[in-house]
Every structure is written in structure tokens, then in C-alpha cells.
Amino acid sequence: MSNTNRIILATYLILTLMILLFTTLFSLESPALYLKFGVRIAMFLTVIVLSKKYWEQRILILAFLCTILSDYFFVFLRVTDPDLPNRELYGMIGFIAAYLFLIAAFQRNFRIGKKEIVTVVPFVITFGIILFLLVEYAVGFMFWAAVVLGIVLCYTGMTMVSTIYRGYFQKNAAWMIAAAGTVLFLSDMVVAFSIFHPYFKQFLLWKENLIWGTYMLGWTLLLMITAETSLTVKDKYTTR
């Protein structure tokens, strides 16, 4: 692990712990929400200033930007304008765009084979169960946005996990990408319950901390990918 990645990991681990502490102390009041949005802006600024060697790393800037727009609706406006019409719908659209950029970044050596099919099955089954449990609470555009987001999420998870065996990224990077894709998928499944299920809509400390713990972990791993100076298998052999 490079010194830059050690700094990124230590910094955002501390900030994640601060988010969990503020969530415990203030629940969904402004101190916790402002801290969350502020940390997400810090992540976006970090991904901008990091030196980038690969075009995949540059695409991640757009993914981070889309999540900032989503967090503006999900987090910041929850304080300033919580009754804004379609606030959560706009946030979901932002995440759909973010995951499409993640697909673009990690789609190298694209193919659909037995490994990819096996990889996507757990994502599809999990999303299918969540959709079945929530379908009675989702209506209108929110339902269709959730379906589209779920499909994109399943494909994103499969794409990111598939980097392990598609042979373009080095193994250490591929495992970080795969871990990021998996925890972000799981985080958004809990978010789905938080948006649609009437019981989970209310503040539940374990739910909020689970969402933000996994959310921050996933995007911190992607920050570390952005900072990598030796990312591909080709680099591994040309530097010998």
C-alpha cells in the first residue's frame, strides 16, 4: 500500500467514525447531516486533486460528482428543504448515473461467460428478494426508478467483482474494486428499505450506521483506486 493510500485510509476511517458518532449523538439532526455532506464533498475534492495515471481513474471523478448531487438531495436537503417534491427520486437518479460511470470505469476486457453469470446471480437474487418485500410500498415513478437502480446496481456489482478474473487490473486493485462494489450494493439495499418501508423510514441507529459505514467504506476503496500508480496487469510486467 502506498503512502498516499495509507493517508486516505486513515483520514476517511477517522471521518467515518466521526459520522457514526455524530449519528449516535444527533440522529438525523443537522450536525450529523452537515458532517455527512461535508465529508462527501471532501471525498470529491480529494478525488479531483489526486494525481491520475489512467483514464479509469478520471471516470471515477464523474462517479463521485454524481454521488455529491445525490447526497445533496438525500442528505443536505433533508435539513434545509425536507419536503421538496421528488427529493428522493432525484437522489436515486444521481446514483443511477454514478453507477453507470463505475461500469464504464471497470468494464475492461468485457465478456459475458459462465463466471460472470455465476457472479451476478447473488446480486440478482438479493435484489429480487428486496423488491418483493418492498413492492407494496413503492408507487409511481419511485417504483420504476428503484427497479432501474436495482438493475444497474446488479450489473455494477457483477462488473466490479468480475475484475478479479477478467485479467485487466492487478489482483490487489481488483480485490479492492470487488469489495467496493459488494459493500456499495449491500449499502443501497438497506437504503431501499430506508426509503420505502414505513418502519425503516424512521430513525434506527443501527440502520443509519450500517448504511454510512458501508457507504463510506465503498467510496474510500474507490478513492484508493484513484490514487494507485500501478493499476493494470500490463504495468506489473512492464516494470520488472
Side-chain angles (χ1 to χ4, degrees):
M1 184 184 297
S2 67
N3 189 53
T4 300
N5 273 344
R6 290 190 186 94
I7 294 172
I8 290 172
L9 184 60
T11 300
Y12 286 102
L13 176 60
I14 292 170
L15 290 173
T16 299
L17 293 175
M18 288 181 61
I19 287 174
L20 301 185
L21 175 61
F22 270 54
T23 301
T24 302
L25 295 175
F26 302 106
S27 63
L28 297 179
E29 299 301 321
S30 56
L33 295 175
Y34 283 144
L35 175 63
K36 291 173 180 176
F37 190 63
V39 171
R40 295 293 295 136
I41 291 177
M43 280 189 141
F44 177 59
L45 295 176
T46 301
V47 81
I48 289 177
V49 301
L50 286 171
S51 178
K52 302 166 194 68
K53 181 179 176 182
Y54 307 90
W55 72 271
E56 291 90 349
Q57 295 170 325
R58 295 182 177 90
I59 292 177
L60 290 179
I61 296 175
L62 299 175
F64 274 87
L65 175 60
C66 290
T67 64
I68 292 298
L69 297 176
S70 290
D71 285 330
Y72 173 76
F73 291 104
F74 275 126
V75 180
F76 187 80
L77 289 186
R78 195 166 190 168
V79 178
T80 61
D81 193 6
D83 297 321
L84 177 74
N86 297 318
R87 178 176 63 85
E88 291 178 333
L89 176 61
Y90 297 144
M92 291 170 67
I93 292 172
F95 277 120
I96 291 171
Y99 292 129
L100 289 175
F101 283 121
L102 291 184
I103 291 170
F106 302 123
Q107 191 79 337
R108 296 299 291 265
N109 289 356
F110 168 79
R111 61 179 176 271
I112 296 295
K114 291 182 179 179
K115 290 182 179 179
E116 283 79 8
I117 293 172
V118 171
T119 300
V120 80
V121 166
F123 293 106
V124 172
I125 291 175
T126 302
F127 172 62
I129 293 172
I130 299 299
L131 184 64
F132 175 78
L133 294 174
L134 298 179
V135 66
E136 63 180 297
Y137 306 112
V139 295
F141 286 115
M142 285 293 287
F143 170 77
W144 292 110
V147 171
V148 172
L149 178 57
I151 294 171
V152 172
L153 262 172
C154 289
Y155 191 85
T156 304
M158 182 272 288
T159 297
M160 295 175 73
V161 172
S162 295
T163 59
I164 295 173
Y165 50 77
R166 280 181 172 170
Y168 179 78
F169 295 98
Q170 291 189 34
K171 282 296 183 181
N172 60 330
W175 280 104
M176 282 197 291
I177 294 167
T182 302
V183 296
L184 288 176
F185 176 85
L186 294 175
S187 179
D188 277 343
M189 292 300 100
V190 182
V191 170
F193 269 94
S194 184
I195 292 175
F196 294 109
H197 199 286
Y199 174 70
F200 283 86
K201 276 180 176 289
Q202 59 187 305
F203 174 75
L204 298 170
L205 178 59
W206 69 266
K207 174 203 70 175
E208 294 296 328
N209 282 343
L210 178 60
I211 290 172
W212 276 89
T214 51
Y215 184 59
M216 287 295 297
L217 173 60
W219 288 101
T220 298
L221 289 171
L222 292 175
L223 267 184
M224 294 170 68
I225 290 296
T226 309
E228 282 288 332
T229 57
S230 181
L231 195 59
T232 69
V233 171
K234 181 179 178 181
D235 292 326
K236 182 178 179 180
Y237 293 106
T238 56
T239 55
R240 285 184 176 179

